[in-house]
Amino acid sequence: MKVGGSEFVKRSDDQSVATLTFENPPVNALGYEARKALNAAVLEVGIDPQVKAVVLVCGGGTFFAGADIKEFGTENATRSPNLKEFCASLDGLSKPVVAAIHGVALGGGLEVALACHYRIAVPDALLGLPEVKLGLIPGAGGTVRLPRLIEATKALRMITTGEPVLAQQAFNEGLVDALASGDLIEAARKFALDKAFFPLMATSRRPVRQSDIAEFAAIADQAISRSRGLRAPVAAARSVRNAVTMSFDEAIAAERRIFLELLAGDESAALRHLFLAERSAQKLKTASAGVVARPLRIVGIVGGGTMGSGIAMSFADNGIRATILELSHDALQASRERIERAYSISVTRGSISEEEKAVRVALIGGATDYDAFRNCDLIIEAVVEDMEVKREVFRQLDLIARPGAILATNTSYLDVDLIAAVTERPGDVVGMHYFSPANVMKLIEIVRGRETRDDVLATALAAARITGKVGVVVGVCDGFVGNRMLLARNAQNEQLLVEGATPEQIDKAFVDFGWPMGPFQMSDMAGLDIGWRTRKRMGRVAPIADALCERGWFGQKTGRGFYLYEAGARQPKPNPDLPAIIAAAARQASQQSRAISDTEIIQRTHFPLVNEGARLLSEGIVARSSDIDLIWTRGYGFPVAKGGPMYWASRQGLSTITASMDRWALKTGASCFSTADVLRRLAGAGASFERFGLALNQGDAA
Ligand code: 3HC
């Protein structure tokens, strides 16, 4: 039976229990039409005298995954009945409503379940309030009802981190009333019928489950210190505190106010953009229909250095066996020790147990002979960044890898086509550019060679997903997307020093913008020798960084770089020799020193970065501007609250950027601004980056 005149909700009655089954593929999001239908259905069963109890369940693979994120920013997002009102309808029912949960119950989805009188879940269901990850707090009572079901400290932790819990844990803590190991709907009906004869207690009428005040304060402080300037986790902590200190109605009203304020703000818009960007990046733009990823069971990794070991760990962390190939037993032993050390740190920090460490270590094998790779589905080369060495590795791999195996290179700059050309199977060769430390960093640039097959790309994307990373497909060019844009950004760093800024001032301007650290501190941490080698290869110079390297000052690892690091300390102090080096570079360039504002620092470093992104789009190296935003937020630390460089730029306005670049070019004579060609063309056409990206995908732009 349909109810509410809608396709969203079906009703079936059995022994005076009405089961409402909601279906809105793919994830049962609660958009306006869905809410309207559900609300009507709930009110209908509420007044039906035949109905003694209600079961609310979803069809498809999951319970409600939350409010409809794609609806945010439209008037439907808050249109009545909004989720808060729908939850109030459930809460006000005078007969028990049981939420029957499978798959995930997230955000507004869990809030609906919290507003029901009881919750029953399958053991592998996940329950969470991930709104902070979208720059929001729960807006339909989550922060007020959850601490009435579980201890306030536990609620605070769940809401401020956004991390879900498994049904078993939810059951132990009181969030779930029963676990269903058999048929969920059957179990829920039986449970509902049993409860029909007991007095009802709506969640809203329960008292808050108080917990240790000191622990509550400590978790709130932790949320604030980890928020790195983001508003949502702080607001979430405030809202849970309101739940503890205010009446239910006051706390709900305050929660809604905060939710609506965040929903209208830039931070949430940027984080929602990145959520959708992640989903878009999974879709191959040029793939023929029905492309299927190849199986991925055993992985081989050539090279057990920092990168190779990290890649192996990223697979082992997710239950996939990985074998590392090294030249000698000694090198293999060094790799093993590196991996052991890294896992021991995780055990010490409490992020994994000793048992978990043992399982992961056991999943990583070692070999000194290519023969060990005969059965691998994917082999990733992570040897030194040298074309000839890499080509030799691929010749060897081509001889032993089974037909259909994927051969990937972890190069960060080199031409994937030249590497693929030494094999008889260039279609099976792909770039997988990991970022260090590879077991931690979320990004993989997946480099499509001229002949790379679609199913190879799909498998590389799947490998990224399985290992908890974001894969973004890019084309072949020097440095691919991220490093090529980085070069454009960094080109201005030295110039700013020569004109009178200090590393401290520039780094601070970056941190104030939202970066975790500034470019000079970052270079010192990564090692100045890396950029030095790259510049030499490309025939480029950076007078100040080159002068530091010529003195053997490579940053933190040598105790000196742009900054001074005393006795192995990580805390930077001014390098007393740097002013003389800068002065020499300024004399060489006949440059007078002048006061430089933070705005100038940000514009002169970030606008060339954006311009390079636009060039990459126009060259077809990257398919969407949102892909660039993902690369920069997931791989380079661009502040997520600003949505990535292209999103941020589109908020600045293209004409504003080009006008400002022209102004700095006139003032500084800096050559990189004369490359603002693509931006100027875009601005002239009144285009946005999003439209430009779209047009490119249709093959009719640039
Ligand atoms: N609203 C709208 N669309 C959503 C959505 C949502 N809440 N969640 C997922 N989708 C869409 C995705 O965009 C994607 O669409 P596409 O095919 O057009 O790209 C599709 O559903 C499938 O999503 P995934 O590729 O992510 O599928 P997975 O199976 O890997 O993951 C999931 C499913 C775990 C549900 C994951 O999508 C997810 O975490 N979704 C977000 C959940 C969330 O944040 N909910 C809170 C929303 S805010 C809220 O509820 C406010 C409230 O407090 C008032």
Side-chain angles (χ1 to χ4, degrees), residues 611 615 661-662 665 669-678 680:
N611 185 57
R615 293 175 97 193
M661 287 178 86
D662 286 344
S671 61
C672 84
F673 292 114
S674 62
T675 64
D677 46 0
V678 182
R680 199 163 292 113

Side-chain angles (χ1 to χ4, degrees), residues 25-27 29-30 62 65-72 83-84 104 106-109 111 128-131 133-134 136-142 256 259 275-276 279-280 282-283 465:
V27 295
L30 288 155
T62 183
D68 186 343
I69 295 169
K70 293 171 185 166
E71 197 181 72
F72 288 157
L83 259 183
K84 173 178 162 268
V104 297
L106 295 176
E111 289 176 294
L129 292 170
E131 283 87 344
K133 297 183 179 178
L134 298 170
L136 297 169
I137 65 163
R256 188 72 184 168
F259 169 77
F275 173 87
L276 296 174
R279 270 80 204 156
S280 302
Q282 301 310 303
K283 300 183 176 98
R465 214 169 28 247

